[in-house]
Amino acid sequence: DPSCDAMILGHLPRGSEERWLAEQRPQRRLIVIDETVYKLYGDRVRAYFESRKVQHEILVLPMVEENKSMELTLEVAKKMKAFNIDRRTEPVIAIGGGVCLDVVGLASALFRRRT
């Protein structure tokens, strides 16, 4: 539903200064989505971000248990780098099951750490 801003600003508390600042600047999102989910809902996901005028890229991957690997995690991290994601202000959105969440969560945790 394009009227819902959960995938764009849902991580920021309503009424917070951080949310207000985010609302003032153009939004960008990297969406990582399981290929099966993409076949079913990809058009709707793309339409949502286009209707909200969010610059976005969609990375479609085969997120099944047999494919869960560091290589898949690195593929997500490489896409984050290519999209030049700001890890502090531009959340990566994972759409799929547990494997998708595991892989994207690990890539996000490792990406551009200052340690």
Side-chain angles (χ1 to χ4, degrees):
D1 175 12
S3 67
C4 176
D5 67 2
M7 286 203 285
I8 301 165
L9 299 170
H11 63 292
L12 301 171
R14 290 194 184 277
S16 70
E17 181 180 354
E18 189 177 19
R19 185 178 177 118
W20 182 84
L21 290 170
E23 290 169 341
Q24 306 311 305
R25 64 179 177 268
Q27 295 296 307
R28 301 173 71 244
R29 294 293 181 269
L30 173 63
I31 301 104
V32 182
I33 188 169
D34 171 72
E35 67 182 359
T36 302
V37 176
Y38 185 77
K39 287 175 188 171
L40 296 170
Y41 301 105
D43 291 339
R44 292 174 68 184
V45 170
R46 188 174 304 283
Y48 173 85
F49 288 98
E50 288 173 357
S51 72
R52 305 284 306 198
K53 297 183 179 21
V54 174
Q55 180 186 354
H56 65 281
E57 289 191 20
I58 298 177
L59 177 60
V60 181
L61 294 172
M63 296 289 197
V64 293
E65 195 67 38
E66 296 78 30
N67 293 344
K68 191 183 204 181
S69 65
M70 276 311 291
E71 288 76 24
L72 198 57
T73 303
L74 289 172
E75 190 170 341
V76 173
K78 286 176 185 175
K79 186 65 171 181
M80 293 168 72
K81 182 177 181 183
F83 189 57
N84 198 26
I85 201 89
D86 180 332
R87 72 180 306 272
R88 305 237 184 273
T89 63
E90 298 172 345
V92 177
I93 298 173
I95 303 174
V99 173
C100 185
L101 299 178
D102 289 348
V103 168
V104 174
L106 180 57
S108 297
L110 296 172
F111 187 71
R112 292 192 179 156
R113 297 299 303 180
R114 292 198 167 100
T115 55

